[in-house]
Amino acid sequence: TAMPAWFPLSNLQFSQRKLLSRLNMKRNSKGGVTYNVTSSQNNSNSSGIGAAVTTKNGTVVVSAGTHMPMEQRSYFRVGILGGGIAGLSCAKELMRRAQAEGIRIEVVVLEARSRLGGRLETDSSTFQFQDGSSFPVDLGASWIHGIDHNPLAMLSKEANVDFVTASEEVRMIKGNMEFVDNDIDDYTGKLYDTLLDQAAEDVWESEVYTMAERSQHAVRWYAEVLPKNAATGSGTKIPRTDAASHRYSSDVSIDHAMGKVISKHNNRRIFRKFGPQEHSLLLWNTKNIEYALGANIADLSMKFWDSDERHAFEGDHVLLKQGYSSVVRHLEKQLHSSSNINTKFRCELNFPVTKVEYARKTTTSSHPPIGRKLIELSDTCSVTGPNEKSFKFDFIVSTLPLGVLKESVAMSNINSNSEEKQGGVIFEPSLPFTKVDAIHSTGFGLLNKVYLQFKDPFWRIRSIFDDDTKTLFGNASGLNPHHYMFFDVGKSLGKEGDKPPILMTLISGKEAVACELMTDQQLVNQVVKTLQKLFTETLVGDPVAFKVTRWGSDKFSRGCYTFLPPGATDQDFQILQSPINGNGDSLTLEGSETMRLFWAGEHTTALHPSMAHGAMLSGARSAEQVISTIKFKSNENIGAGFERLIPMVLFRKKNPFTKLQCALCHRFGSRVREGGLLALQKGSRQVLFHNNCGEFSPEVEVKDGQWKSLLKAVNRGKHINCCMCGNSGATIGCSHENCSRCFHFLCAENTGWRFLRDGKLFFCDLHRKFSNHGENECDQVSIEFYKSKFLSGMPLRCAFCWEGNMHSRGEMLAFSQQRRLMTVHDRCARYTNIMDTLDDYTRMIDTNYKNLFEVLKRAKQCVHCKRNGATIKCAACDHHYHYACCAEGSSIGWNFSKKGIVLKCCQSNREKSSATTQQTIISKNIAELPLELPAGLFQHNLFFSGAARANGEDSEHKGDIAVNDKVWERTTRPDEESRNFLHQIPSYINNRDDNTSSSSSSDDEEQNTSSSNNPMLMPLSGPTTITADSSSSSTEQQQEVIRVTRSSIKEPWDFHLSLAPSYKSQSNHLIMDYYYHQNHSSGNSSFKVIKVNEKLIGSSGLACMQEIITLLQHANVTVDFLVESYYD
């Protein structure tokens, strides 16, 4: 309905009574305004502005064009959805800022639970000290990560909460009260970190991708399946969704990226030497990462999973002795005490929000004058809860958890009359595309805790905890590895002389979903069984008290905290926190528009996501945004010459066919040295540029995330060609007054300039001063720059070995030191040992080197070729060599990638070293390869023996892994070349290659062997050993399979039979052809099954153990088998 010409109401000269009458309203006895609906008015519209109508249930509705009159008030009212730490922090900051500015305001917190705190909850009723007093435990967040300058730590101190700094040292137990060897523990930890670093580097380097190689399916919401399944305890398939087309990139999961690293040439043989201990430790390191984000590594973005790490607060990581609820109560008390006539605080508990309106058309009124102009008061926003009770607000701040937002978005796509539509919050109007897209793409993880109080502290054994500060022990037994670590809560948080025997274990990701489908007692029994495996020589009884958390099934949280899966980026945090109004998102609207719906919570901060202090800071940020909007200051920088960054996904959505290319350097995608590819908008114009290409252009200013004059630099660069590469976009000119040379950012760095070190004021190589450079500092330059300084056609030669380009010695690199230049092979520089040459100064260059010019001074004559430049010295004598004179292929044949840079040129020294290593390190025959473990124990099949096998099985299960009736997609991992990273691996583990029989198997043989993560589905290629059960009575007529079992999860399967030796046996039409063999020394008999019902083992229908079991069951043969599975 078109608005009448006489709107707005403030321009009318009518009396108030007449205005209310025309709107079918009147004043009630309390002075409020109500609808005056009569039967005659229900069917007419004399006002012409939209009539009010009473429905059957008494609800009053009006036509769309009507401006609803706001209730009379002279203060702003702000509604905060959610009473967690983000909501309470927002309320506190709103009241503080409003009081300081003289703004009258009422803050209303609407909380669905019967308590405040949200995912900060302390249980003080389940556990007790020995004196009978309550022992508090945190069911949600429990740590403050980094207390230096952390506002949450300061608030906790105000609340008189005691900090406990628990030891982070974890004592690894492999079962039967045996400890993991410390050397192997340290090594596997370093190896895992190396794999992560190499995988990240590879992914960041490969911006170009093909659709065939792209792999971005991931679980993005673990709790999605829980509400309809938790009650029945049935199994479920957790949905894995692909990234939207405008989010396609080279990013993959951590699991996929690490698989590529392992499968690369020469990188997998190390995994073939691992025994059960190493496999368990690699698995433990994986679980440690998954705990931090509540997600499995198969679902974590390799590029962005730890993007917040550089913003972490320094200082100790502490526990709160009195629990987080003490902080929440203190914050609530502060809010009530600061409430007064001008800044009011109100809290509504048990108010689950069902509907949020943020673009209502209402009349307005003015705030009392305070000496500056403020926006008009209005009831633009409304929040509806139980029994249609509603509140009207000027602004709303949503701190709803991401899981609730995901549920709300999912429910909005279901027909309103559908029975499936339940839960979630209705937003009116619907959220803009940018917000919905970010909510869909970002991940929400799940982490649950199990607390157990025992009668006696059976684990506090002096041999395990050699001092009173150690409180952590890890599960490296291979049994139930999702209970990967146990924390002695009673010892850490107990009182002097009263430390109750309370343990806590953590469960994350898919395993947390599986555990929520179990009863409390089933889960507790599983944990107890794990402890019994670790502490076999002590009595592990049933707990006297326990507490299990179920955050995924909690309808007011629907999970725990945020993570970034493949397809999501750290820019999504910016989208999730951007305010909106009825016209769209603040990221896309002009700065003059008034925002109405603001956002806070741990999912809205790029600096500290998934953290309690991140949620707290986000609340304060949203409060600042509301106050700025009230004061007409929203986006005030825009319009003052500053340009606005927009999310890349929004740019790609609007420009699907535009190449992702920097407008300055013309290179594609985000790059290591040029930085991330950003999208910028001013008016209707949008451009892409690399962060460093733009930031180091001389006219560009960057202030608080705002960019100025970037478009000016792009326009100027169109007419300037780079003096190095010849392409346009060269905006970085030499600052010398008589020099007109211009460069791109990367071309300038390739001359030896380092902007992060040398500053933005650039000087070319002809006018550069070197007074600030270190004596031995050298800078890598491009080969093109090196060639430009010498006569054309001059061959490149290594300064160490005097040879030209040779593939076996690596890439030829160029370096400068002041005005000196040199070229050297990558491996000649890398494996030099007379001085340290590797430099970790910056990751903007793949591998930084230092001291190369000093190394050249100290180089000696090579013993082998008699030429100078030998930089590799034998550790046992004074002989010097070039790399090629002592590496593989030479008479010495030293393998640097396996054995490190500590050369031993004498055969006797090498044999002695090898023997020593074998005696001290290899106490067991680790060459024996265990069976592959079920996929649920470790999402990465390449970490098991038989690592990096091809995933090309020709079966109906191809591409999937079946575990406990759940089918989860498996990602293929193509094999490809890369630089070798094994030079970082200690020599003692590599020496196993020379002392284990498994090293004889070739990579080609391994590549052609198919495998599965599930032993029940592991292909069988030949006879299966069947061991006769000697304890059973054996007769020719009694032919029945009793059970199929194995003694541990790493052992082969055994068929225990009660039948007499014979060539053929038949039972209910089941015929097994086998060979019989008796071991006379041990008295044991064994049978090698060749066929079952004339079908050859390993053929179609009998390709795996599961198919054999199915056949036995169909033949009505008794099969009582125990599967050592993922849940046991």
Side-chain angles (χ1 to χ4, degrees):
T1 303
M3 299 303 299
W6 44 268
F7 264 74
L9 293 179
S10 57
N11 295 331
L12 296 178
Q13 302 299 320
F14 302 128
S15 66
Q16 189 179 71
R17 179 178 296 180
K18 190 172 183 179
L19 285 176
L20 295 176
S21 175
R22 296 198 65 172
L23 290 172
N24 299 325
M25 297 178 180
K26 66 178 182 179
R27 286 198 175 278
N28 58 23
S29 58
K30 298 182 179 180
V33 178
T34 60
Y35 290 110
N36 182 25
V37 182
T38 63
S39 59
S40 62
Q41 289 171 328
N42 286 341
N43 301 314
S44 65
N45 182 11
S46 60
S47 68
I49 61 173
V53 180
T54 303
T55 62
K56 292 181 179 180
N57 60 4
T59 304
V60 179
V61 297
V62 295
S63 58
T66 303
H67 275 58
M68 303 297 296
M70 65 169 288
E71 64 180 66
Q72 282 192 331
R73 53 184 168 85
S74 59
Y75 52 85
F76 291 99
R77 180 181 288 158
V78 181
I80 299 176
L81 311 184
I85 189 67
L88 297 178
S89 172
C90 178
K92 179 181 178 181
E93 185 65 12
L94 276 172
M95 296 178 68
R96 187 190 71 81
R97 286 295 309 277
Q99 189 170 13
E101 300 281 353
I103 300 173
R104 300 186 65 186
I105 194 171
E106 181 184 26
V107 179
V108 182
V109 172
L110 303 175
E111 170 55 48
R113 307 176 194 270
S114 59
R115 60 170 180 81
L116 293 175
R119 284 164 281 173
L120 304 185
E121 180 182 6
T122 305
D123 176 13
S124 299
S125 60
T126 303
F127 306 104
Q128 295 181 339
F129 284 99
Q130 294 177 3
D131 60 9
S133 59
S134 64
F135 183 94
V137 294
D138 278 315
L139 305 182
S142 55
W143 294 84
I144 297 179
H145 297 282
I147 60 175
D148 292 352
H149 310 293
N150 188 327
L152 183 56
M154 300 175 188
L155 179 65
S156 301
K157 282 299 183 184
E158 289 180 12
N160 296 318
V161 173
D162 297 321
F163 290 165
V164 176
T165 305
S167 171
E168 297 183 10
E169 181 179 347
V170 183
R171 195 68 192 270
M172 302 300 298
I173 305 176
K174 60 183 179 181
N176 303 323
M177 297 182 66
E178 296 181 10
F179 304 130
V180 170
D181 183 273
N182 288 334
D183 290 336
I184 297 180
D185 187 14
D186 292 342
Y187 164 67
T188 51
K190 292 176 181 177
L191 174 61
Y192 198 90
D193 292 341
T194 300
L195 289 171
L196 272 179
D197 292 341
Q198 183 69 60
E201 191 170 332
D202 288 352
V203 171
W204 277 107
E205 286 178 349
S206 58
E207 282 298 323
V208 180
Y209 66 94
T210 64
M211 292 302 296
E213 295 175 343
R214 192 186 63 81
S215 177
Q216 294 182 289
H217 281 82
V219 175
R220 301 176 190 273
W221 182 24
Y222 285 93
E224 182 176 3
V225 298
L226 283 175
K228 64 181 72 173
N229 293 283
T232 62
S234 60
T236 184
K237 178 181 178 180
I238 306 177
R240 292 173 59 85
T241 57
D242 196 3
S245 59
H246 57 276
R247 290 176 172 269
Y248 287 175
S249 70
S250 62
D251 190 18
V252 294
S253 69
I254 294 178
D255 181 57
H256 187 109
M258 294 177 78
K260 278 191 172 184
V261 172
I262 297 172
S263 65
K264 286 176 181 176
H265 182 62
N266 288 334
N267 284 356
R268 41 191 163 170
R269 57 187 168 200
I270 189 67
F271 294 91
R272 294 205 307 267
K273 311 311 163 208
F274 284 175
Q277 196 172 22
E278 285 92 348
H279 292 311
S280 295
L281 291 172
L282 287 172
L283 175 56
W284 189 92
N285 280 276
T286 294
K287 291 301 170 189
N288 199 37
I289 285 181
E290 294 176 345
Y291 142 73
L293 293 166
N296 301 112
I297 62 171
D299 306 315
L300 291 173
S301 162
M302 185 70 260
K303 284 189 175 181
F304 300 103
W305 73 278
D306 61 345
S307 61
D308 61 309
E309 185 175 352
R310 63 184 181 274
H311 305 298
F313 287 109
E314 299 292 334
D316 294 333
H317 298 245
V318 298
L319 293 160
L320 282 64
K321 196 164 190 175
Q322 290 80 15
Y324 257 117
S325 290
S326 300
V327 180
V328 173
R329 289 191 295 269
H330 174 72
L331 195 50
E332 180 185 11
K333 183 178 179 180
Q334 284 184 333
L335 288 168
H336 284 294
S337 63
S338 61
S339 181
N340 54 51
I341 191 172
N342 290 321
T343 54
K344 304 175 183 178
F345 172 74
R346 179 179 174 186
C347 181
E348 289 280 334
L349 298 177
N350 299 305
F351 193 91
V353 175
T354 57
K355 184 178 181 180
V356 175
E357 300 172 79
Y358 58 96
R360 300 173 72 248
K361 296 178 180 180
T362 73
T363 59
T364 62
S365 63
S366 299
H367 185 279
I370 61 172
R372 65 170 64 93
K373 185 178 180 182
L374 304 178
I375 68 170
E376 296 288 309
L377 306 176
S378 72
D379 285 342
T380 305
C381 302
S382 174
V383 176
T384 305
N387 302 319
E388 297 298 320
K389 182 179 180 180
S390 64
F391 292 89
K392 305 298 187 295
F393 301 104
D394 295 273
F395 307 99
I396 296 174
V397 179
S398 171
T399 69
L400 299 175
L402 182 60
V404 174
L405 296 178
K406 281 180 173 289
E407 187 172 51
S408 302
V409 170
M411 291 299 105
S412 67
N413 297 325
I414 299 177
N415 186 289
S416 59
N417 296 324
S418 173
E419 294 181 358
E420 295 182 18
K421 186 155 187 174
Q422 55 181 347
V425 177
I426 299 173
F427 289 91
E428 192 175 294
S430 298
L431 298 177
F433 162 78
T434 50
K435 195 73 66 178
V436 173
D437 181 60
I439 291 171
H440 271 308
S441 300
T442 310
F444 201 52
L446 182 59
L447 177 77
N448 282 318
K449 299 179 179 181
V450 180
Y451 287 96
L452 303 170
Q453 183 168 8
F454 293 90
K455 184 178 180 181
D456 299 306
F458 57 85
W459 62 90
R460 292 179 191 166
I461 303 170
R462 181 59 60 179
S463 59
I464 297 179
F465 299 114
D466 50 7
D467 61 60
D468 292 335
T469 64
K470 293 182 174 60
T471 56
L472 297 170
F473 60 90
N475 171 22
S477 68
L479 177 65
N480 299 325
H482 49 286
H483 301 303
Y484 83 107
M485 185 165 63
F486 291 86
F487 177 41
D488 191 340
V489 180
K491 186 178 187 180
S492 181
L493 301 180
K495 299 181 291 189
E496 188 66 31
D498 191 350
K499 298 184 183 296
I502 302 175
L503 285 176
M504 178 194 71
T505 184
L506 303 159
I507 317 159
S508 59
K510 293 175 182 176
E511 293 87 346
V513 174
C515 289
E516 288 205 27
L517 298 175
M518 303 167 67
T519 65
D520 284 358
Q521 191 60 55
Q522 287 174 328
L523 182 54
V524 168
N525 291 342
Q526 185 184 89
V527 177
V528 171
K529 183 176 181 180
T530 306
L531 291 170
Q532 290 172 342
K533 172 70 173 178
L534 298 177
F535 298 93
T536 54
E537 297 181 12
T538 62
L539 179 61
V540 180
D542 293 330
V544 296
F546 61 82
K547 186 71 175 182
V548 176
T549 67
R550 299 179 180 273
W551 290 106
S553 304
D554 187 322
K555 62 182 179 180
F556 300 133
S557 63
R558 306 295 280 114
C560 288
Y561 39 62
T562 309
F563 69 92
L564 293 179
T569 72
D570 51 359
Q571 289 188 2
D572 284 306
F573 294 120
Q574 179 189 7
I575 301 173
L576 289 171
Q577 68 92 10
S578 60
I580 63 176
N581 65 12
N583 295 327
D585 198 307
S586 63
L587 294 171
T588 60
L589 300 174
E590 294 298 326
S592 58
E593 295 210 25
T594 301
M595 298 298 115
R596 293 295 179 178
L597 179 54
F598 299 81
W599 306 84
E602 53 83 23
H603 58 285
T604 67
T605 168
L607 300 181
H608 311 285
S610 311
M611 303 287 183
H613 59 259
M616 178 181 177
L617 290 170
S618 73
R621 181 208 62 228
S622 60
E624 172 63 30
Q625 291 174 328
V626 171
I627 295 297
S628 294
T629 302
I630 291 175
K631 297 165 57 181
F632 280 107
K633 280 190 163 184
S634 60
N635 296 327
E636 64 175 357
N637 286 333
I638 300 175
F642 281 85
E643 295 133 345
R644 178 172 53 214
L645 289 178
I646 61 173
M648 180 63 70
V649 294
L650 183 60
F651 177 92
R652 295 180 64 181
K653 182 70 175 179
K654 291 186 176 181
N655 307 279
F657 303 109
T658 301
K659 294 181 179 179
L660 302 183
Q661 184 179 24
C662 176
L664 294 172
C665 73
H666 310 298
R667 291 179 173 87
F668 290 91
S670 298
R671 302 176 68 87
V672 174
R673 297 182 67 180
E674 292 93 327
L677 191 65
L678 306 177
L680 181 138
Q681 175 177 321
K682 187 173 184 181
S684 59
R685 186 180 178 187
Q686 296 178 344
V687 297
L688 297 177
F689 67 100
H690 288 126
N691 183 86
N692 292 334
C693 293
E695 182 176 354
F696 294 109
S697 294
E699 65 265 59
V700 175
E701 297 179 34
V702 185
K703 180 181 179 182
D704 298 330
Q706 299 287 346
W707 292 74
K708 187 174 183 179
S709 303
L710 190 282
L711 289 177
K712 181 179 178 181
V714 172
N715 293 334
R716 180 174 65 86
K718 291 179 179 180
H719 310 288
I720 305 175
N721 293 335
C722 177
C723 67
M724 283 288 294
C725 67
N727 295 325
S728 63
T731 58
I732 301 175
C734 178
S735 299
H736 192 275
E737 58 183 2
N738 296 323
C739 184
S740 59
R741 304 174 77 200
C742 293
F743 300 79
H744 296 118
F745 167 81
L746 182 61
C747 294
E749 288 236 328
N750 281 340
T751 67
W753 188 268
R754 297 291 179 262
F755 284 93
L756 292 179
R757 180 194 64 196
D758 303 327
K760 189 173 182 177
L761 193 63
F762 170 72
F763 288 90
C764 70
D765 54 292
L766 301 179
H767 303 102
R768 191 171 300 164
K769 297 181 181 180
F770 301 96
S771 57
N772 293 331
H773 286 208
E775 180 181 354
N776 294 323
E777 189 170 342
C778 60
D779 298 310
Q780 186 175 342
V781 299
S782 65
I783 291 294
E784 290 74 17
F785 174 75
Y786 178 88
K787 289 180 177 179
S788 70
K789 296 300 179 182
F790 298 94
L791 295 176
S792 60
M794 181 178 178
L796 298 177
R797 293 193 179 277
C798 175
F800 292 172
C801 69
W802 297 79
E803 297 290 345
N805 282 312
M806 300 185 71
H807 177 72
S808 62
R809 304 183 192 187
E811 180 185 6
M812 187 72 79
L813 307 176
F815 296 89
S816 69
Q817 185 183 73
Q818 299 188 3
R819 302 203 182 279
R820 301 170 60 195
L821 292 168
M822 68 181 295
T823 53
V824 62
H825 291 122
D826 180 38
R827 293 179 185 175
C828 292
R830 180 188 300 273
Y831 297 126
T832 290
N833 62 16
I834 60 175
M835 282 189 72
D836 183 17
T837 58
L838 288 176
D839 187 6
D840 296 328
Y841 170 73
T842 174
R843 286 191 58 127
M844 291 181 65
I845 297 180
D846 297 340
T847 303
N848 263 352
Y849 290 102
K850 62 183 179 181
N851 299 326
L852 291 181
F853 288 89
E854 182 64 23
V855 167
L856 188 59
K857 291 180 183 179
R858 300 186 184 186
K860 305 290 185 180
Q861 186 182 70
C862 178
V863 173
H864 183 267
C865 68
K866 308 303 181 183
R867 289 192 292 183
N868 293 330
T871 60
I872 302 175
K873 180 183 177 182
C874 175
C877 62
D878 196 35
H879 291 172
H880 286 69
Y881 298 88
H882 295 116
Y883 167 77
C885 294
C886 61
E888 287 184 298
S890 68
S891 59
I892 296 177
W894 188 261
N895 188 328
F896 285 92
S897 64
K898 288 173 52 179
K899 301 177 180 179
I901 64 174
V902 183
L903 172 68
K904 294 183 176 66
C905 65
C906 304
Q907 184 68 24
S908 59
N909 288 327
R910 277 182 280 167
E911 291 175 353
K912 181 178 179 181
S913 173
S914 176
T916 303
T917 303
Q918 175 72 7
Q919 180 180 1
T920 58
I921 301 299
I922 306 179
S923 57
K924 294 187 177 181
N925 182 12
I926 65 169
E928 295 182 4
L929 303 179
L931 290 176
E932 296 194 29
L933 306 182
L937 297 179
F938 200 13
Q939 291 76 20
H940 208 298
N941 62 332
L942 296 179
F943 280 96
F944 304 110
S945 59
R949 293 176 179 170
N951 294 318
E953 297 91 339
D954 184 17
S955 71
E956 60 181 354
H957 302 291
K958 182 177 180 180
D960 291 328
I961 299 172
V963 178
N964 295 347
D965 300 326
K966 304 178 183 67
V967 180
W968 295 336
E969 182 179 344
R970 180 178 60 199
T971 305
T972 59
R973 300 170 178 83
D975 190 8
E976 64 183 28
E977 294 288 329
S978 79
R979 94 173 63 88
N980 196 310
F981 74 96
L982 290 181
H983 66 277
Q984 302 179 48
I985 297 178
S987 58
Y988 73 82
I989 197 74
N990 284 305
N991 285 340
R992 295 175 178 177
D993 285 351
D994 303 325
N995 297 286
T996 58
S997 59
S998 61
S999 62
S1000 61
S1001 61
S1002 67
D1003 289 347
D1004 293 336
E1005 292 173 343
E1006 186 174 315
Q1007 188 70 18
N1008 293 323
T1009 305
S1010 52
S1011 64
S1012 170
N1013 281 4
N1014 188 349
M1016 293 294 290
L1017 300 178
M1018 188 168 59
L1020 301 175
S1021 58
T1024 300
T1025 300
I1026 299 182
T1027 304
D1029 191 349
S1030 59
S1031 62
S1032 304
S1033 59
S1034 299
T1035 66
E1036 191 68 26
Q1037 291 73 31
Q1038 188 177 13
Q1039 301 163 4
E1040 182 179 59
V1041 178
I1042 298 177
R1043 60 194 171 101
V1044 181
T1045 185
R1046 56 181 177 175
S1047 56
S1048 76
I1049 202 164
K1050 300 180 183 65
E1051 297 299 322
W1053 298 98
D1054 288 336
F1055 283 65
H1056 293 263
L1057 309 173
S1058 73
L1059 53 86
S1062 65
Y1063 182 71
K1064 275 192 176 182
S1065 61
Q1066 180 174 353
S1067 175
N1068 295 341
H1069 307 290
L1070 174 71
I1071 301 175
M1072 295 188 296
D1073 291 354
Y1074 54 87
Y1075 292 124
Y1076 167 69
H1077 172 72
Q1078 182 168 6
N1079 189 330
H1080 297 284
S1081 61
S1082 62
N1084 293 331
S1085 301
S1086 65
F1087 303 82
K1088 287 185 179 287
V1089 175
I1090 305 300
K1091 294 180 180 179
V1092 178
N1093 283 3
E1094 299 301 318
K1095 286 187 176 182
L1096 186 66
I1097 294 287
S1099 63
S1100 177
L1102 293 178
C1104 62
M1105 188 68 71
Q1106 181 63 66
E1107 293 177 352
I1108 293 178
I1109 297 297
T1110 302
L1111 180 65
L1112 297 178
Q1113 292 173 327
H1114 288 169
N1116 295 322
V1117 176
T1118 303
V1119 182
D1120 177 20
F1121 64 96
L1122 170 67
V1123 179
E1124 290 282 357
S1125 75
Y1126 163 93
Y1127 296 110
D1128 289 329

